Amino acid sequence: MRIHVDRDTCEGLGMCESMAHEFFEVDDDDVMHVLDEQPGEEHRPQVAAAVSSCPVLALTLEG
């Protein structure tokens, strides 16, 4: 699985970080960073929940 971010849509709100801080981080400038773009399959439930929590739909999972 791979995490994709639409940088034009992302507003750095941090919902993803609050759901899965091991994979997402919002910096002091409200820019979201994916810490691990290809998490292991064992993390799918947590990552999928974080992706689904994005209020602006800037995150998607591939695979």
Side-chain angles (χ1 to χ4, degrees), residues 10-38:
C10 181
E11 296 180 3
L13 299 172
M15 293 300 295
C16 56
E17 181 182 29
S18 68
M19 301 273 307
H21 63 88
E22 303 94 324
F23 303 100
F24 304 96
E25 179 178 77
V26 178
D27 67 18
D28 293 338
D29 295 322
D30 293 331
V31 175
M32 192 276 293
H33 301 277
V34 178
L35 303 176
D36 182 356
E37 291 184 359
Q38 294 183 319

